[in-house]
Amino acid sequence: MKENFGILLKIACIQMVKRFDAFAHEYGLTSTQMSVIDFLSRRQELETFQKDIEEEFYIQKSTASVLLKRMENHNLITRSTSLKDSRKKQVLLTDDAKKLQKVISQYMDTTQQNFENNFSKEEIKLLNRVMHKLIKFEKGNL
């Protein structure tokens, strides 16, 4: 019997999200909120807008709006007028989120390192290539 790539991919994603959620839960976060904090912390020198988050995480505008509203309500982000374009609102980490930055970054880096320690360089290159191809396929760009 042939293995179904969609099912295998779904199972792998679920397992990874479970690990991320378990860690994030310790800090009162979701894995998605944790990922957004990590993303914003790595772009501190750049103005970041909702559109950037939508593109980074391949989410719809409505999903990003709800996510950012919840993060605002939990005092994790603020939105303020862009320094470059007064029509836009940039997304900024609050002091509360900045306090979590280091532990989140360490978790993400450790997770990446553990992943890299369990796969050969060739396997990682192949997996990266396949994942990027799958993303393009799902976006209808293949």
Side-chain angles (χ1 to χ4, degrees):
M1 184 170 157
K2 255 179 149 173
E3 295 211 47
N4 184 308
F5 294 118
I7 292 171
L8 289 173
L9 185 59
K10 180 72 172 174
I11 291 167
C13 288
I14 289 169
Q15 293 302 317
M16 183 168 262
V17 169
K18 278 183 181 179
R19 281 194 307 273
F20 273 54
D21 273 333
F23 177 82
H25 184 72
E26 293 177 32
Y27 298 93
L29 303 170
T30 66
S31 58
T32 305
Q33 291 170 337
M34 181 177 76
S35 296
V36 170
I37 291 170
D38 184 62
F39 175 67
L40 292 171
S41 71
R42 293 176 193 271
R43 293 175 49 95
Q44 287 182 17
E45 70 286 347
L46 302 170
E47 284 192 352
T48 303
F49 306 99
Q50 178 174 322
K51 184 83 172 150
D52 298 315
I53 293 166
E54 292 165 15
E55 290 171 1
E56 175 71 13
F57 296 101
Y58 292 89
I59 57 176
Q60 294 179 347
K61 184 177 184 176
S62 58
T63 303
S65 292
V66 170
L67 168 64
L68 294 177
K69 187 66 180 161
R70 286 185 180 151
M71 290 182 76
E72 251 181 327
N73 291 342
H74 287 97
N75 197 35
L76 297 170
I77 60 141
T78 59
R79 294 186 235 204
S80 66
T81 304
S82 166
L83 301 172
K84 297 175 184 170
D85 184 345
S86 62
R87 298 169 296 171
K88 292 182 173 183
K89 297 270 187 184
Q90 64 177 316
V91 181
L92 300 164
L93 294 174
T94 63
D95 288 340
D96 287 352
K98 287 177 183 176
K99 290 175 189 171
L100 298 170
Q101 223 176 298
K102 186 175 181 179
V103 71
I104 289 170
S105 180
Q106 286 175 337
Y107 176 77
M108 299 294 233
D109 292 345
T110 299
T111 299
Q112 181 69 23
Q113 191 61 53
N114 287 339
F115 184 82
E116 290 174 6
N117 291 341
N118 284 287
F119 293 92
S120 70
K121 288 182 181 184
E122 294 77 25
E123 287 173 322
I124 292 169
K125 282 181 186 177
L126 176 61
L127 185 58
N128 275 322
R129 199 168 72 238
V130 169
M131 289 296 160
H132 284 287
K133 205 169 190 176
L134 279 169
I135 290 167
K136 285 181 182 177
F137 176 76
E138 290 304 319
K139 288 181 75 180
N141 295 331
L142 192 65

